[in-house]
Amino acid sequence: MVKAYKQEYTYRHPWERVTSASWRKFADPENKRTLSHILEVDTLNHKLDSNSGKLYTTRAITIHAPGPWFVRKIIGQDICHCVESTVVDGHSRSMQLTTRNISLQKFIEVQEKIRYDPHPDNPESWTLCRQETSIQIKPLSALASMAEKVEQRCAERFVQNSAKGREVMERICKYLEAESGGISL
Amino acid sequence: MGMLSRKDKKTSDSSSSSSSSTSPCANFRAAYHNCFNRWYSEKFVKGQWEKEECISEWQKYKACLSEHLDDKHLSRFLEAEKSVVDHCGQSR
């Protein structure tokens, strides 16, 4: 029982600006209201390879994911920790984020991959975002009988949240554009 | 970066109800993330990646995290300097 979703989205902003916005996505208070399911983001580790221009980062994301009462009863918590690994290649201008849950893995595995690349039709001014989400409920979990329902609920939440995420990204891009006077970044 | 200046208060407010363990580090976190965001947009994306910056901000933040991060799944990532690359390598 794996559900997978693919989405594509074009930002009419250059790659440099969009990836800058991606780092700020969870941080600013304005966005905290929109992305209210994100409680905390901590950077756990980072590494810069100054020869190749690659930046590696690991962040912990704490998400508030309240489910139906019976789910909370079984798993005993409604806070979920996720780990996000990011690779930015400054030379080839690509950013890849992979997020997976580390809490509740007995019951459910969610993996989300996001890539930001210069848009092939307009590589200097636009950015293509490709997002892939897979959700898997463990068949032997205590939730098996209601797994379908939970899976559906998760999927709906993810689609809702990724729409919110885009809204936030657009807002930060506009902010960064204004800040830079619309010239370079 | 005005957009981030009110973050600390907001973070500690929201985390008081969330069993969060790293909120004592909110100030260090904000200082490091502000520094990192500036470095990323002003240097890294322009090809100036020879030199690492925000080192003292990172050291303070990391010291605080290693004191307050209780979750062993998360502290595994914090302790293993090397695991960053390995972890990312797998996910590609």
Side-chain angles (χ1 to χ4, degrees):
Chain A
M1 275 187 297
V2 182
K3 294 206 174 193
Y5 301 85
K6 279 189 184 183
Q7 300 177 76
E8 274 194 15
Y9 186 78
T10 301
Y11 290 97
R12 291 173 183 252
H13 293 279
W15 179 85
E16 288 76 5
R17 188 182 296 142
V18 172
T19 57
S20 295
S22 168
W23 289 116
R24 293 165 202 233
K25 188 170 160 186
F26 302 128
D28 114 281
E30 190 67 21
N31 303 327
K32 280 216 141 174
R33 278 194 291 278
T34 317
L35 299 176
S36 55
H37 60 295
I38 305 288
L39 296 176
E40 284 197 284
V41 180
D42 273 301
T43 301
L44 299 180
N45 220 323
H46 74 140
K47 185 178 179 284
L48 173 69
D49 184 337
S50 48
N51 292 322
S52 64
K54 281 188 182 168
L55 175 67
Y56 303 88
T57 304
T58 308
R59 299 200 298 182
I61 300 176
T62 307
I63 295 174
H64 184 239
W69 67 269
F70 53 83
V71 174
R72 253 173 298 161
K73 192 105 184 156
I74 296 167
I75 62 187
Q77 64 180 95
D78 56 4
I79 301 282
C80 174
H81 291 296
C82 296
V83 168
E84 172 205 78
S85 314
T86 306
V87 187
V88 187
D89 187 331
H91 263 300
S92 66
R93 296 166 88 217
S94 75
M95 180 190 222
Q96 185 171 332
L97 302 100
T98 305
T99 310
R100 53 169 75 84
N101 62 308
I102 58 163
S103 315
L104 315 181
Q105 277 179 339
K106 267 193 296 183
F107 303 105
I108 184 168
E109 278 185 10
V110 180
Q111 179 173 283
E112 184 183 67
K113 284 189 177 192
I114 300 182
R115 273 194 73 109
Y116 294 105
D117 294 291
H119 198 291
D121 295 343
N122 195 347
E124 292 311 312
S125 316
W126 293 356
T127 304
L128 180 62
C129 171
R130 280 172 292 181
Q131 187 171 354
E132 238 181 273
T133 308
S134 71
I135 300 168
Q136 182 176 23
I137 296 269
K138 295 299 176 71
L140 295 176
S141 78
L143 296 173
S145 61
M146 41 190 102
E148 273 300 323
K149 246 183 245 168
V150 177
E151 216 168 45
Q152 192 55 42
R153 222 193 131 84
C154 274
E156 282 161 15
R157 249 197 121 73
F158 256 89
V159 173
Q160 274 171 18
N161 286 338
S162 55
K164 283 184 195 169
R166 280 196 293 273
E167 191 187 307
V168 166
M169 286 287 293
E170 288 284 10
R171 199 186 310 152
I172 306 175
C173 283
K174 284 217 184 78
Y175 174 89
L176 291 171
E177 186 177 26
E179 195 186 42
S180 69
I183 303 162
S184 57
L185 179 70
Chain B
M1 196 51 51
M3 72 193 295
L4 294 171
S5 60
R6 280 163 298 159
K7 189 193 160 221
D8 295 356
K9 192 165 170 291
K10 195 88 185 173
T11 303
S12 50
D13 284 350
S14 65
S15 53
S16 56
S17 60
S18 74
S19 79
S20 156
S21 55
T22 61
S23 35
C25 307
N27 286 333
F28 295 119
R29 171 170 57 208
Y32 170 69
H33 285 160
N34 280 336
C35 182
F36 173 86
N37 287 338
R38 203 176 315 121
W39 170 79
Y40 183 84
S41 352
E42 290 172 12
K43 306 256 170 88
F44 182 82
V45 295
K46 295 175 181 168
Q48 298 166 33
W49 50 64
E50 319 70 47
K51 199 169 134 267
E52 256 197 274
E53 290 187 16
C54 313
I55 292 168
S56 74
E57 284 87 349
W58 169 247
Q59 280 168 349
K60 283 179 211 149
Y61 175 40
K62 194 180 168 181
C64 183
L65 278 184
S66 49
E67 199 178 321
H68 290 98
L69 201 63
D70 299 327
D71 191 302
K72 62 178 191 303
H73 296 295
L74 294 182
S75 42
R76 195 181 60 201
F77 291 98
L78 189 65
E79 281 157 15
E81 276 293 338
K82 201 174 141 283
S83 75
V84 149
V85 182
D86 295 347
H87 190 68
C88 290
Q90 283 164 17
S91 67
R92 252 186 279 185

